[in-house]
Amino acid sequence: MAAEMKAELIGQAALTDLQLTVPRRPALRRGVRLRRSGDSVVLDGADRMQAFSGEFAREWLVPLAEACDGTRDHAALADGLGLPESAVHTCLALLWTAGAVEEATPDEEPPVAPELACFLSRLGNSTGVNATWADAAARLARRPVALEGDPALVGAARRALRGVCPVVTGDTDPAGGGHPTEHPAEHPATDPPKDPATDPAEHPPAFTVFFETVASAPLLADAEKACRRDGRPLLRVRADAATIVVGPYVDPAITPCLECGRHGEAELAGEPAAHQLDLVAGVAAHHITAVLARATVTHLPIDSSVIDTATLATSYRPATTRPGCPECSHARGPVAPEAPASAVYEAAVAIPPRAFLDPKGHQAHYYTANIRLQSQFRQWPSRVRTPLPAADLSALAGPGHRGGTPLTPHHLGLVLKIAFGLKDDETTPERVKRWTAASGNIGCTTAYVVVRDASVLPPGVYAYAEGSHTLASVSRTVPPGDSPCDIVVTGDLKKVMSKYGTFGFRLALLDSGCALTSARHVARHLGLDFAPRTDWDDDALTRILDVSPTEEPVVAVASLGGTA
């Protein structure tokens, strides 16, 4: 599905959101162009093809892009085109987000091949890390890459990286000083000036890449030991007759150790064929360049990629610390035979370390479809509705009650309103306001209420509809329990994963914790007993709620009412 973004929204957001950047002296990225196509303006050559619609786009985007030569600021562009400066800022915010413009390069450009400059500029938008392609080129020029392991793959990788970055194929300083012997012909003749703010070291430590095959595998342990001793990151690239594995990336400061990262791998299945060497080297060079230049996307350092050389099908394996590992685990005791499923999931969806975070991903918050999610509420149209009393916020003022307060419909409505509901006076069709923090302001949890006390409501199971502050009858079957009321929280994975993917399950768990925390504070202030449950019967609850455990799993349960 195409992602839509409105110029007015991204232009306004760029004024306050520090993760959105508008070039001060914009230049059209190398290798891209804007052209009219029917009623739209199309962007060719960027990291993805995009189209701009609307009268202003048709009339002004192409002239504005042509005027972006890196010599004019916003005021000069506005004056030359006869446009308000605010309109120029809005358009440039949209063009930067789309990958059409970047900051002008310095007066003295890095001495790199035109093809590399075009590559770094044209695809630099894919991560949003570098303001200009020259920044990416400087990152490559000041970080040597040490190639070790299988000689044939080392040679192929050296050819693939020629002219891209300094390459080292001999031993580094055994004392760990980080002074590798470089191959001058294989990197730019003149390095750009170093940036003391980001790289004060005159000789930064080499980034070591080890090519593991059947023949070179015995040398990997010594290479890993040397990298750990010298504080150098290590990227293992594994190749046999059937697969290419890029990873794990090992840096003791931010990743699991090598043994944990590669735990569970199959044995090497023979040596790679001669015709596979350039493929292995090319794949490795792509990710080496992505890690160092930060201009293109890579799965490193979080995952390892496993590529089938026959079909090129790719799967990903997160590096996960095994409990008890003496190198990277804080747990004591023997090393676990394998990492638990929960740890594997957490590793798979983990946010990258700050140094590897791509600001580009932040722009997803401003896609029209993602903004629309916040005002999409479940309806249960065929269910009987029970209106809840209006939330009396004055009950939360003053000192709280000590306990023993009987549960009433007013209390239940107030707890649900604060934990899962909306601020009615502040919510608009464009912006939903909630009482409790919610990931992405989406509202990815659903509260079901199990009522056993007939003085509160007719016994049964109800779904809380936050958009209307009503309860929808779900079932008259009441699961066993000893509290007047239970709150069962499920994760709306279909909704949250449309924006966040598999990370959405983690957000559902986080949101349920926020909701129950708010519910606990309200309940205790009202003098109601509130007790989160640590165990429940998933199968029984999903049957009663008539939900799918894969699309709407139960993520939290708590008891409400009675006395402590």
Side-chain angles (χ1 to χ4, degrees):
M1 179 183 295
E4 179 187 81
M5 187 179 291
K6 294 186 180 297
E8 296 82 0
L9 178 62
I10 199 67
Q12 184 64 33
L15 296 173
T16 57
D17 193 330
L18 298 181
Q19 295 193 65
L20 299 177
T21 303
V22 181
R24 293 168 297 176
R25 292 184 178 274
L28 193 66
R29 289 184 181 270
R30 300 186 179 204
V32 307
R33 68 171 181 176
L34 285 162
R35 60 179 173 85
R36 282 288 301 270
S37 178
D39 292 334
S40 301
V41 173
V42 177
L43 174 63
D44 295 321
D47 57 320
R48 56 192 174 90
M49 186 176 181
Q50 295 169 82
F52 307 90
S53 58
E55 181 179 355
F56 189 92
R58 291 191 295 270
E59 296 297 325
W60 292 106
L61 278 190
V62 172
L64 176 59
E66 292 174 345
C68 291
D69 58 5
T71 65
R72 311 175 197 180
D73 60 13
H74 295 196
L77 289 168
D79 184 62
L81 295 171
L83 291 171
E85 189 172 342
S86 60
V88 170
H89 174 274
T90 296
C91 288
L92 290 175
L94 183 65
L95 291 175
W96 175 81
T97 302
V101 297
E102 61 184 331
E103 194 67 64
T105 56
D107 294 336
E108 185 177 344
E109 294 183 349
V112 301
E115 296 85 356
L116 178 59
C118 184
F119 170 80
L120 296 174
S121 177
R122 187 172 68 85
L123 299 183
N125 177 65
S126 60
T127 65
V129 170
N130 300 294
T132 172
W133 72 265
D135 294 344
R139 289 175 183 267
L140 287 170
R142 64 175 173 251
R143 190 66 182 275
V145 176
L147 303 177
E148 300 181 12
D150 185 87
L153 288 173
V154 166
R158 184 174 64 245
R159 293 190 297 272
L161 293 170
R162 181 177 292 125
V164 175
C165 59
V167 175
V168 182
T169 54
D171 293 333
T172 58
D173 180 1
H179 300 274
T181 303
E182 300 176 359
H183 296 253
E186 297 175 1
H187 65 89
T190 304
D191 288 352
K194 295 183 183 297
D195 181 1
T198 59
D199 193 359
E202 184 178 354
H203 297 285
F207 173 48
T208 301
V209 181
F210 188 95
F211 290 94
E212 181 187 12
T213 60
V214 172
S216 66
L219 305 176
L220 178 58
D222 287 341
E224 190 270 340
K225 182 179 179 180
C227 287
R228 186 169 64 248
R229 178 197 65 203
D230 300 341
R232 290 181 282 127
L234 170 69
L235 172 63
R236 191 281 306 261
V237 179
R238 184 179 193 254
D240 60 21
T243 59
I244 305 168
V245 182
V246 181
Y249 179 101
V250 182
D251 182 342
I254 57 175
T255 73
C257 68
L258 177 63
E259 287 305 311
C260 285
R262 65 177 183 168
H263 180 72
E265 288 182 335
E267 295 292 330
L268 286 161
E271 296 285 357
H275 66 271
Q276 295 177 345
L277 298 181
D278 285 339
L279 174 62
V280 176
V283 170
H286 166 83
H287 290 287
I288 293 168
T289 303
V291 166
L292 299 185
R294 305 301 317 286
T296 53
V297 176
T298 176
H299 59 271
L300 302 172
I302 298 296
D303 295 326
S304 294
S305 63
V306 183
I307 305 171
D308 186 307
T309 55
T311 65
L312 297 185
T314 304
S315 58
Y316 297 92
R317 300 176 63 250
T320 312
T321 294
R322 296 166 297 162
C325 174
E327 294 294 338
C328 60
S329 174
H330 291 286
R332 296 181 179 179
V335 181
E338 60 183 22
S342 58
V344 175
Y345 171 75
E346 284 291 322
V349 301
I351 296 175
R354 182 179 178 86
F356 292 89
L357 194 63
D358 294 342
K360 178 70 176 179
H362 179 69
Q363 296 175 15
H365 289 294
Y366 298 102
Y367 290 152
T368 302
N370 289 336
I371 294 175
R372 195 180 297 127
L373 285 174
Q374 63 180 282
S375 55
Q376 293 178 356
F377 308 116
R378 300 183 65 179
Q379 299 297 328
W380 296 276
S382 62
R383 304 290 185 174
V384 177
R385 293 297 187 95
T386 301
L388 286 166
D392 181 11
L393 300 178
S394 65
L396 300 178
H401 298 268
R402 290 186 177 182
T405 304
L407 181 64
T408 68
H410 287 84
H411 293 151
L412 177 61
L414 184 56
V415 169
L416 293 173
K417 186 71 169 179
I418 299 300
F420 301 94
L422 311 180
K423 293 184 176 181
D424 298 323
D425 295 341
E426 300 181 32
T427 293
T428 67
E430 293 77 26
R431 181 69 172 174
V432 170
K433 292 288 188 177
R434 303 177 185 275
W435 286 102
T436 295
S439 303
N441 198 28
I442 289 177
C444 62
T445 56
T446 300
Y448 291 88
V449 181
V450 178
V451 178
R452 301 185 182 90
D453 187 347
S455 67
V456 180
L457 288 172
V461 180
Y462 302 84
Y464 178 60
E466 71 267 35
S468 58
H469 192 53
T470 61
L471 293 177
S473 178
V474 171
S475 174
R476 290 302 178 191
T477 301
V478 180
D482 55 5
S483 62
C485 176
D486 286 342
I487 297 176
V488 180
V489 187
T490 63
D492 190 347
L493 298 190
K494 188 174 182 180
K495 183 180 183 182
V496 70
M497 289 177 67
S498 66
K499 177 179 179 180
Y500 290 105
T502 52
F503 185 63
F505 178 61
R506 192 173 194 267
L507 296 181
L509 295 173
L510 290 173
D511 279 11
S512 69
C514 290
L516 291 192
T517 299
S518 294
R520 181 188 64 189
H521 284 300
V522 174
R524 289 183 175 177
H525 188 88
L526 298 175
L528 301 170
D529 181 32
F530 184 86
R533 299 296 189 184
T534 58
D535 193 16
W536 57 82
D537 188 333
D538 282 291
D539 292 337
L541 288 178
T542 53
R543 283 196 303 270
I544 292 172
L545 301 180
D546 192 25
V547 297
S548 165
T550 57
E551 294 186 0
E552 193 179 349
V554 177
V555 293
V557 179
S559 295
L560 175 68
T563 58

